[in-house]
Amino acid sequence: MTNLFRPLQLRGVTLPNRIAVSPMCQYSSQDGLPNDWHLVHLGGLAQGGAGLVFTEAAAVLPEGRISPEDLGLWNMAQAEGLAHSVHFIKAQGAVPGIQLAHAGRKASAFAPWKGSGSVPPAAGGWTPVAPSALPFDAGWTVPTALDEAGILAVIEAFMDAARKALAAGFQVIEVHAAHGYLLHQFLSPLSNQRTDAYGGSFENRTRLVREIVGALRNILPEELPLLVRISATDWVDGGWDLDQSVALALELKALGVDLVDCSSGGLSPLQKIALGPGYQVPFAARIRTEAGLPTGAVGLITEPEQAEQILAEGAADLVLLARQLLREPRWPLRAAQALGVEVPWPAQYARAAKGSVPLRQPRV
């Protein structure tokens, strides 16, 4: 048995392997509702053999959507729609997970193929909120700084969304505190210039994340895991960095978080990212070692042997794939063949398992 295809136990949930579908926005919802696209997209990835299948980021409030076309989880109609995908994912032997999010000052943005920057109110956009009234970039809408009541409303929205996620049948919940969205905006001194209990010191800047995590851990049944995605660094001098990420991970561990999903960047257009295969793996490795907490590695992980090595070296406990799975939804089946592991195929496709899985499908 390879490391990649060893089960991973997170509390009372067993992932059948160490391959996870990273949350990927589809920009295909209306009023935050899932539809046939989401069922086919998520269901196909579950058929492909991933052990953990995350939805895209689900906004906990309408104004927390990255774009007007984003998925949401602020009402029961959305939860009921997602339950269909949850049922199908489970039927394929995978574990369904959902990422709860609030986009903060990066909300009300155009879907990538529709433009860039903020969607104006006349075109269906809105004025976003943030820790401080600082826009993401020139030409973006200036956000409204959250007051105490607004912060409490955000915490309550995460709690309410978590309850709805449980009602829909999700077995893993991840809090999105990365990529320059609201919780990351509170963490970074580049976007958080508050002078109250939620700004200034490390303790204050991490307060909102800790309060949300603590609230969700109290809501979730003991047997269900809670994950947090962070940007381990802003890639900007004077911003959030790896040292602070390690310190935060220690706090999250004490609050009952079961795994830190280690990404990076997204907060500032001034970021200078050192891209390369597995470029974020060292973040996962250091947090895993120094915080003593399981980690997930994500970012330019494309080959089975690469994923296997990450786990074999103890750099992470889970690998999350995104664009590679868009190119190749059955990557886990190819990985199994490449590593010499027999894994179950959907019964309807079993006759194809006897043949060869293409070692690489055309890139799109």
Side-chain angles (χ1 to χ4, degrees):
M1 179 62 67
T2 64
N3 291 281
L4 192 59
F5 287 93
R6 277 194 301 118
L8 176 62
Q9 189 76 28
L10 295 174
R11 291 187 181 255
V13 174
T14 303
L15 307 186
N17 57 52
R18 307 296 179 105
I19 304 166
V21 176
S22 189
M24 292 179 280
C25 291
Q26 298 297 293
Y27 307 100
S28 299
S29 295
Q30 183 175 0
D31 298 325
L33 290 164
N35 52 46
D36 289 348
W37 176 267
H38 299 90
L39 174 62
V40 174
H41 166 67
L42 296 169
L45 292 168
Q47 286 177 329
L52 172 60
V53 178
F54 272 116
T55 67
E56 64 191 90
V60 299
L61 288 167
E63 62 270 26
R65 290 171 293 169
I66 300 168
S67 78
E69 296 86 7
D70 265 21
L71 184 68
L73 192 54
W74 63 81
N75 63 45
M76 282 308 298
Q78 295 156 347
E80 291 164 2
L82 284 167
H84 195 184
S85 293
V86 167
H87 176 77
F88 189 85
I89 291 168
K90 289 179 177 178
Q92 310 316 305
V95 172
I98 188 165
Q99 186 186 66
L100 302 182
H102 191 303
R105 69 179 185 178
K106 292 178 75 174
S108 189
F110 282 101
W113 56 84
K114 292 185 177 181
S116 60
S118 300
V119 178
W126 58 90
T127 300
V129 297
S132 303
L134 300 170
F136 171 65
D137 198 4
W140 286 65
T141 300
V142 176
T144 300
L146 285 165
D147 58 15
E148 184 176 346
I151 290 174
L152 292 175
V154 167
I155 297 170
E156 183 59 42
F158 270 91
M159 295 168 64
D160 185 57
R163 295 186 185 99
K164 289 179 171 59
L166 294 176
F170 286 101
Q171 294 174 279
V172 175
I173 289 180
E174 178 173 87
V175 174
H176 198 354
H179 299 166
Y181 299 127
L182 183 65
L183 301 190
H184 184 186
Q185 291 161 28
F186 270 88
L187 293 175
S188 177
L190 299 177
S191 49
N192 184 346
Q193 297 184 2
R194 302 176 71 96
T195 57
D196 63 1
Y198 291 91
S201 67
F202 172 85
E203 179 183 4
N204 286 356
R205 285 183 284 111
T206 61
R207 188 181 306 277
L208 181 56
V209 172
R210 290 185 285 107
E211 289 180 345
I212 288 172
V213 164
L216 265 57
R217 187 66 269 172
N218 286 334
I219 289 172
L220 294 184
E222 178 64 27
E223 67 271 16
L224 295 188
L226 178 62
L227 280 57
V228 177
R229 171 166 276 193
I230 65 169
S231 279
T233 177
D234 288 340
W235 298 100
V236 180
D237 289 342
W240 182 261
D241 57 26
L242 184 54
D243 288 341
Q244 293 176 87
S245 292
V246 171
L248 175 61
L250 287 165
E251 299 273 3
L252 297 178
K253 179 181 179 181
L255 290 168
V257 166
D258 300 288
L259 183 143
V260 175
D261 178 358
C262 302
S263 190
S264 69
L267 183 100
S268 170
L270 301 177
Q271 65 186 15
K272 295 181 180 179
I273 300 178
L275 286 173
Y279 68 105
Q280 296 174 147
V281 172
F283 305 146
R286 183 174 163 196
I287 289 171
R288 186 177 189 267
T289 297
E290 296 188 17
L293 190 62
T295 58
V298 63
L300 291 182
I301 299 170
T302 59
E303 297 304 321
E305 296 79 7
Q306 176 194 16
E308 173 68 16
Q309 183 177 2
I310 290 168
L311 299 172
E313 293 178 347
D317 301 88
L318 182 71
V319 293
L320 297 100
L321 279 71
R323 297 182 191 186
Q324 186 62 27
L325 285 174
L326 296 183
R327 301 181 187 106
E328 193 178 354
R330 291 180 174 79
W331 185 93
L333 299 181
R334 174 167 75 87
Q337 184 192 54
L339 298 173
V341 179
E342 289 190 12
V343 296
W345 282 51
Q348 298 89 336
Y349 294 171
R351 60 188 178 274
K354 300 297 183 181
S356 61
V357 180
L359 291 182
R360 185 182 295 280
Q361 294 186 7
R363 292 183 180 271
V364 295

